[in-house]
Amino acid sequence: MLLSQNEETIVALATPGGIGAISVIRVSGPESFRAIDNIFSGKQKLVNSTTHTIHYGKIYSVDKELVDDVLISIFRSPNSYTGEDSVEISTHGSPYIVQRIIEIILSQNVRLADPGEFTRRAFLNGRIDLAQAEAVADVINSNTEASLRGARNQLDGLLSQKVDSLREKLINTSSLIELELDFSEEDLEFLSYEEVEKRIKEIIQELDFLISSYSFGRVLKDGVNVALVGEPNVGKSSLLNYLLKEARAIVSEIPGTTRDIIREELVIDGILFRLYDTAGLRFTEDLIEKEGVFRSKEAVRNADLVLFMNDVISGFSENLWIELKSITDPERILKVVNKIDLRNPQKDLFDVGISAKTGEGIELLFQALKTKALGTKTYSEKSAVVSNIRHFNALENAKENLTTALSSINQKLSGEFVSVDLRNAESALGEIIGKVTSEDILNNIFSKFCIGK
Amino acid sequence: MLLSQNEETIVALATPGGIGAISVIRVSGPESFRAIDNIFSGKQKLVNSTTHTIHYGKIYSVDKELVDDVLISIFRSPNSYTGEDSVEISTHGSPYIVQRIIEIILSQNVRLADPGEFTRRAFLNGRIDLAQAEAVADVINSNTEASLRGARNQLDGLLSQKVDSLREKLINTSSLIELELDFSEEDLEFLSYEEVEKRIKEIIQELDFLISSYSFGRVLKDGVNVALVGEPNVGKSSLLNYLLKEARAIVSEIPGTTRDIIREELVIDGILFRLYDTAGLRFTEDLIEKEGVFRSKEAVRNADLVLFMNDVISGFSENLWIELKSITDPERILKVVNKIDLRNPQKDLFDVGISAKTGEGIELLFQALKTKALGTKTYSEKSAVVSNIRHFNALENAKENLTTALSSINQKLSGEFVSVDLRNAESALGEIIGKVTSEDILNNIFSKFCIGK
């Protein structure tokens, strides 16, 4: 039974750690009001307070020492984030005060929340489905317009609604098949094999659309890693410097990110591009810095795109092209020629011509990067888009089962076989929104959340 | 006119920066509700909402794109932190979302708050006095029980009340003197010179108590810097290792603190002690590492206390003692002898004997450190204590003026002289609580706050 933990009341810091004007401590569970009333002195008892009201008062330690004056927000079940009785305590933003208050709350038969436990409870209490719960983490981690929009759409239920409607269609179809089996002796036909086949094909088509959206959704969510490769002196540094000055938005350093060979992050039409400079790399034998070569090759292998830079003077570098093709898919390589201010390039050899000096062609380069990253398929702002590998796998699994069902139909196998495949497909889709789930899946999802969410 | 800025509405992030479950954006000023209503869609307009209520809804960009779903807390003037109409917006804890929402709010004729501006407005609107406003920063920066208690007492007005009562006494006395001057032709005596002298002396006595509390208050607030000095192999590292394992509370690393030669922070009875290890330092000529010696000497000079460590084997190091006395006040040096598990020390040479190996005497060392740091004067938990150099200077200034007044009285000078001195003293005290202030003083105080407070 998944709900067992919900009888416990939990506490955690909800705001980022560190010093600030205020910090917010979140408490949720059946004993929230009682626990805080024990240590809080305000105008009235919290247990008697109306939902969505704010109360000024003081928090005392168990030995009655004043710790801080605070504002307490009251959320009564079911009108809270978790669906349970909850309070939020707004304290002075001192890590020491936060620690003291959490310690005091822990003495009131309240325990520290696990990572993601507030959101997990929101899911278990039916406030949001599992795909929406996962979107909460994506919203928090969003760092561009595109990543936020994708996460917001998922949090708002766009993907869930799509998946649920496909599930409904499958349930409806398998139910009719099973009904027919129940009445098989009476030779009633609720649904022709042709009709079943048609329905399954329609669903597969919709699944294919979702599945193919994954590369797009992943780009929105995670951004695009671009390896910048080229012979010495073709102008890689000039391009980076130009971008540094001119790019429409430069994302500041993200704590914890290895900046070893990242040189630049830029946002093109809301999408994050991380440029990994492999400057100094030449894929030739005479290089002493093997470690550098190794790391540069890794950068190329891990990159979503390779910006392969040449210049009009030296022309297209065949050696580097052969080397590059041997370690990554040529489809991922964007062939760029620099210094077009000096001479006209051989157009048929390159995708884009630029001048890192004058800025000519940079806008075309941006659009080429974007097209290469997103593909040509277009998704409306309100499309259900898949950005989570778990969802992608579940969709693939559902499709596989439907493909098996189609082959059973072609082989004129009994409806029982078809029905089982449809049920399996439905169950795979149910995993996405959490209709079908397990403790393991939930642990895996929520352990990646921060504590306090 | 100090209040002029208050007509503007200001915004800032109030919670620490970074990723978390939630972040809180604070808006204050006359246009708070109108500005947020323009970009917020909830069940009802904020301008019509009751104070201290919470409202769920969505924030949209100026081009009507959904940015986040939020909870908005309403605080109506004068029942807010600043005393003005204020809202707090609780968003998903993504720096990108916070930045987006602040940008959107800035488009609504709202400007970014200066550092400390919310607290400055709380002061200007009479919600708190200046000493209390300064205590807000101390509360936020408190990192031990003692520093929090000191800051809380000041925020609760203990110092302000004390200062204000002394001010009242001065005003009362100078008024009577001035009244007498007004009626001098009629030869009325409202107050004898003896009585004035007595009153001034009483006030000086109270000022002295406050002034002398500064060394205590500073220790509570800022902690105690202890330089650990000793000849090689007397056991400095052993002591540090012992403390690392056994100390009652070790404070974790504070961002931005230079940890170059800090080895350990420990909390003794709620007071923070920072141990600066000068291991490797010998104050002898034959040392090559001049930089190390220089830095160690600096550490000794800057230390509040020097833990001068010897051992029972080598005995008291006369050379080091002479060197130490030449760079710091001998009163600040605690003479410790280690390895008392091996042999009895010569007790009369040392303040404390310890064994860093067995832990014997460590508790005595803690108490000796505490006594050396705090002095023997005791302050009750509810004493008004000075911990701010600005207050200390103002008290000194007030005392100086009163001393001049006493000398005027002794010289039988006219009451006018005495009265001017009393007025100056009163004005110095008024600076502490902000009865007398200037834009410069305020700028100086609040510029040290973080933005959002």
Side-chain angles (χ1 to χ4, degrees):
Chain A
M1 176 53 186
L2 290 166
L3 287 159
S4 65
Q5 289 191 316
N6 276 33
E7 285 156 34
E8 296 178 321
T9 298
I10 55 175
V11 61
L13 176 64
T15 44
I19 290 178
I22 60 174
S23 292
V24 178
I25 296 167
R26 188 181 255 181
V27 182
S28 184
E31 293 298 302
S32 297
F33 303 143
R34 187 204 53 76
I36 306 305
D37 266 334
N38 282 349
I39 61 168
F40 174 74
S41 165
K43 274 194 187 162
Q44 61 176 62
K45 285 280 170 193
L46 302 180
V47 288
N48 303 324
S49 302
T50 316
T51 189
H52 288 66
T53 56
I54 303 166
H55 304 267
Y56 173 80
K58 290 168 193 261
I59 298 262
Y60 290 89
S61 69
V62 279
D63 43 356
K64 306 292 174 212
E65 186 169 14
L66 172 59
V67 177
D68 201 10
D69 49 341
V70 299
L71 286 172
I72 293 195
S73 299
I74 295 288
F75 302 94
R76 290 198 169 268
S77 173
N79 298 310
S80 72
Y81 180 69
T82 56
E84 309 168 334
D85 283 347
S86 302
V87 305
E88 287 182 5
I89 306 172
S90 177
T91 72
H92 282 94
S94 141
Y96 175 73
I97 290 177
V98 166
Q99 180 199 325
R100 278 288 300 275
I101 293 181
I102 289 180
E103 279 168 10
I104 296 166
I105 293 173
L106 290 175
S107 74
Q108 299 301 313
N109 200 25
V110 174
R111 70 165 168 80
L112 207 59
D114 294 328
E117 192 168 6
F118 293 93
T119 306
R120 185 182 184 135
R121 289 182 175 203
F123 162 66
L124 293 175
N125 293 326
R127 301 282 292 167
I128 47 178
D129 68 37
L130 198 52
Q132 288 176 306
E134 288 170 296
V136 169
D138 294 343
V139 165
I140 288 173
N141 291 313
S142 64
N143 54 6
T144 61
E145 196 184 329
S147 59
L148 175 59
R149 186 184 296 149
R152 279 254 37 121
N153 282 346
Q154 188 175 324
L155 181 55
D156 291 342
L158 245 66
L159 177 67
S160 302
Q161 283 153 25
K162 186 77 209 163
V163 166
D164 211 30
S165 81
L166 295 178
R167 255 187 87 241
E168 290 297 331
K169 284 186 193 167
L170 284 172
I171 291 170
N172 181 262
T173 308
S174 54
S175 301
L176 287 173
I177 296 173
E178 285 154 19
L179 199 60
E180 197 167 308
L181 291 169
D182 288 347
F183 289 86
S184 56
E185 291 175 11
E186 288 151 60
D187 209 23
L188 285 169
E189 193 180 55
F190 294 95
L191 209 57
S192 69
Y193 259 38
E194 289 69 36
E195 175 62 20
V196 172
E197 193 175 359
K198 180 170 156 276
R199 286 189 180 193
I200 292 175
K201 282 183 174 167
E202 279 169 13
I203 294 170
I204 287 180
Q205 204 177 0
E206 300 210 57
L207 288 179
D208 274 337
F209 188 82
L210 284 176
I211 289 168
S212 72
S213 78
Y214 177 60
S215 62
F216 176 80
R218 205 180 59 79
V219 160
L220 294 194
K221 184 164 101 175
D222 298 331
V224 187
N225 295 328
V226 182
L228 183 54
V229 176
E231 301 279 3
N233 301 320
V234 294
K236 299 190 296 294
S237 299
S238 308
L239 176 62
L240 286 169
N241 289 337
Y242 184 87
L243 295 179
L244 187 64
K245 279 192 303 193
E246 301 292 332
R248 278 167 274 183
I250 301 284
V251 175
S252 61
E253 188 168 350
I254 297 156
T257 310
T258 297
R259 307 262 313 170
D260 252 2
I261 50 170
I262 298 185
R263 285 292 302 269
E264 211 58 78
E265 297 191 332
L266 76 152
V267 175
I268 301 171
D269 295 344
I271 296 158
L272 180 68
F273 288 81
R274 286 182 213 87
L275 264 64
Y276 291 77
D277 187 8
T278 62
L281 164 78
R282 275 172 295 175
F283 291 86
T284 57
E285 300 294 329
D286 67 334
L287 244 177
I288 306 154
E289 305 115 345
K290 287 209 172 179
E291 176 62 19
V293 173
F294 175 79
R295 276 178 36 214
S296 294
K297 286 193 179 183
E298 275 299 297
V300 169
R301 266 189 211 99
N302 295 331
D304 301 299
L305 295 181
V306 177
L307 198 164
F308 172 37
M309 197 148 170
N310 301 272
D311 73 16
V312 290
I313 312 297
S314 318
F316 187 78
S317 170
E318 280 293 341
N319 287 341
L320 208 41
W321 173 246
I322 291 163
E323 182 82 41
L324 276 175
K325 279 200 299 183
S326 76
I327 53 174
T328 191
D329 178 359
E331 276 302 302
R332 294 185 173 182
I333 305 175
L334 190 70
K335 287 170 279 182
V336 179
V337 61
N338 188 23
K339 306 185 190 174
I340 59 170
D341 52 310
L342 299 181
R343 188 190 295 177
N344 283 333
Q346 269 190 276
K347 287 219 165 121
D348 51 338
L349 289 177
F350 301 103
D351 299 309
V352 194
I354 62 165
S355 165
K357 200 174 159 194
T358 68
E360 194 185 341
I362 298 279
E363 191 65 27
L364 290 172
L365 173 63
F366 283 172
Q367 292 315 314
L369 280 171
K370 201 183 140 192
T371 307
K372 204 96 184 145
L374 296 182
T376 48
K377 200 178 271 185
T378 53
Y379 297 86
S380 85
E381 283 193 10
K382 288 292 177 193
S383 293
V385 165
V386 176
S387 65
N388 184 312
I389 183 104
R390 191 181 76 80
H391 303 169
F392 176 78
N393 290 336
L395 291 166
E396 289 271 32
N397 182 359
K399 183 185 167 185
E400 215 169 280
N401 278 291
L402 294 185
T403 311
T404 314
L406 280 186
S407 110
S408 301
I409 290 172
N410 285 336
Q411 294 168 50
K412 306 283 179 203
L413 295 183
S414 150
E416 275 162 333
F417 291 92
V418 179
S419 169
V420 165
D421 291 330
L422 297 191
R423 290 286 175 194
N424 284 342
E426 179 238 307
S427 162
L429 293 182
E431 276 179 23
I432 294 175
I433 52 179
K435 293 271 180 189
V436 182
T437 189
S438 73
E439 197 76 13
D440 279 353
I441 291 177
L442 295 186
N443 288 343
N444 188 37
I445 289 172
F446 290 106
S447 65
K448 289 172 197 146
F449 276 58
C450 57
I451 289 179
K453 188 68 233 179
Chain B
M1 177 56 185
L2 290 165
L3 286 159
S4 64
Q5 289 191 317
N6 276 32
E7 285 156 34
E8 296 177 320
T9 298
I10 53 174
V11 61
L13 175 66
T15 46
I19 290 178
I22 61 175
S23 292
V24 178
I25 296 167
R26 188 181 255 180
V27 182
S28 184
E31 293 298 300
S32 297
F33 302 143
R34 186 204 54 76
I36 306 305
D37 266 334
N38 283 348
I39 60 168
F40 173 75
S41 164
K43 274 194 188 163
Q44 61 176 62
K45 285 279 168 194
L46 302 179
V47 287
N48 302 324
S49 302
T50 316
T51 190
H52 288 67
T53 57
I54 303 165
H55 304 268
Y56 173 81
K58 290 170 193 262
I59 298 260
Y60 290 89
S61 69
V62 278
D63 44 355
K64 306 293 173 208
E65 185 168 19
L66 173 60
V67 177
D68 201 9
D69 50 339
V70 300
L71 286 172
I72 292 195
S73 299
I74 296 288
F75 302 95
R76 290 197 169 269
S77 174
N79 298 310
S80 72
Y81 180 68
T82 56
E84 309 167 334
D85 283 347
S86 302
V87 305
E88 286 182 5
I89 306 173
S90 178
T91 73
H92 282 94
S94 141
Y96 175 72
I97 290 177
V98 166
Q99 181 199 323
R100 278 289 300 276
I101 293 180
I102 288 180
E103 279 168 9
I104 296 166
I105 293 173
L106 290 176
S107 74
Q108 299 301 314
N109 200 23
V110 174
R111 70 165 171 79
L112 207 59
D114 292 329
E117 192 168 4
F118 294 94
T119 306
R120 185 182 185 137
R121 290 184 175 202
F123 162 66
L124 292 175
N125 294 326
R127 300 283 291 168
I128 49 178
D129 68 37
L130 199 53
Q132 289 175 305
E134 288 170 295
V136 170
D138 295 343
V139 165
I140 287 172
N141 291 312
S142 63
N143 54 5
T144 61
E145 195 184 327
S147 59
L148 175 59
R149 186 184 296 148
R152 278 252 41 118
N153 282 347
Q154 189 175 322
L155 181 56
D156 291 343
L158 245 67
L159 177 66
S160 302
Q161 284 152 27
K162 186 76 208 165
V163 167
D164 210 31
S165 81
L166 294 178
R167 255 186 87 241
E168 290 297 330
K169 283 185 194 168
L170 283 173
I171 290 171
N172 181 264
T173 307
S174 53
S175 302
L176 288 174
I177 296 173
E178 286 153 18
L179 198 60
E180 200 167 305
L181 290 169
D182 289 344
F183 290 87
S184 55
E185 292 174 10
E186 288 152 59
D187 210 23
L188 285 169
E189 192 181 56
F190 294 94
L191 210 58
S192 70
Y193 260 37
E194 290 68 36
E195 176 61 20
V196 172
E197 192 175 2
K198 181 171 156 275
R199 285 188 181 195
I200 294 175
K201 281 183 173 166
E202 278 170 13
I203 293 169
I204 288 179
Q205 205 177 358
E206 300 209 58
L207 288 178
D208 274 337
F209 189 80
L210 284 176
I211 289 168
S212 72
S213 77
Y214 176 60
S215 61
F216 177 79
R218 206 180 60 79
V219 161
L220 294 194
K221 184 164 101 175
D222 299 330
V224 187
N225 296 327
V226 182
L228 184 53
V229 176
E231 300 278 4
N233 302 320
V234 294
K236 298 190 297 293
S237 299
S238 309
L239 176 61
L240 286 170
N241 289 336
Y242 184 87
L243 294 178
L244 187 65
K245 279 192 305 198
E246 301 291 333
R248 279 166 273 183
I250 302 283
V251 176
S252 60
E253 188 168 349
I254 296 158
T257 309
T258 297
R259 309 264 311 171
D260 251 4
I261 51 170
I262 297 186
R263 284 294 301 270
E264 209 59 76
E265 297 191 331
L266 76 153
V267 175
I268 301 170
D269 294 345
I271 295 157
L272 179 68
F273 288 80
R274 287 181 212 88
L275 266 63
Y276 291 77
D277 187 8
T278 63
L281 165 79
R282 274 172 295 174
F283 291 86
T284 56
E285 301 294 330
D286 66 334
L287 242 176
I288 307 155
E289 306 113 343
K290 287 207 170 178
E291 176 61 20
V293 173
F294 175 78
R295 277 177 36 211
S296 294
K297 284 193 180 181
E298 274 301 295
V300 169
R301 266 187 211 102
N302 296 331
D304 301 299
L305 295 181
V306 176
L307 198 163
F308 173 38
M309 198 147 168
N310 301 270
D311 74 14
V312 290
I313 310 299
S314 318
F316 187 78
S317 169
E318 280 292 343
N319 286 341
L320 209 39
W321 175 245
I322 291 164
E323 181 82 42
L324 276 176
K325 279 200 300 181
S326 75
I327 52 173
T328 192
D329 177 1
E331 276 302 301
R332 295 184 173 184
I333 305 174
L334 191 70
K335 287 169 279 183
V336 179
V337 62
N338 188 23
K339 306 186 188 174
I340 59 170
D341 52 312
L342 299 181
R343 188 191 294 174
N344 283 333
Q346 268 189 279
K347 289 225 166 115
D348 51 341
L349 290 178
F350 301 103
D351 300 308
V352 193
I354 62 165
S355 165
K357 198 173 159 194
T358 67
E360 194 184 341
I362 298 280
E363 192 65 26
L364 290 173
L365 173 62
F366 283 172
Q367 292 315 313
L369 280 171
K370 199 182 142 193
T371 306
K372 204 98 184 148
L374 297 183
T376 48
K377 201 178 270 183
T378 54
Y379 298 85
S380 85
E381 285 193 8
K382 289 291 176 193
S383 292
V385 165
V386 176
S387 66
N388 184 313
I389 183 107
R390 191 181 75 81
H391 304 170
F392 176 78
N393 289 338
L395 291 166
E396 290 271 31
N397 182 0
K399 183 183 166 185
E400 214 168 282
N401 279 292
L402 294 186
T403 311
T404 313
L406 281 186
S407 112
S408 302
I409 291 172
N410 285 337
Q411 293 167 49
K412 305 282 180 202
L413 296 183
S414 150
E416 275 160 334
F417 292 92
V418 178
S419 169
V420 165
D421 292 331
L422 297 193
R423 288 288 175 192
N424 285 342
E426 179 238 308
S427 164
L429 294 182
E431 276 179 24
I432 294 175
I433 52 178
K435 294 270 182 190
V436 180
T437 189
S438 72
E439 197 76 12
D440 279 354
I441 291 177
L442 295 186
N443 288 343
N444 187 37
I445 289 171
F446 291 107
S447 65
K448 289 173 196 144
F449 276 59
C450 56
I451 288 178
K453 188 68 234 181

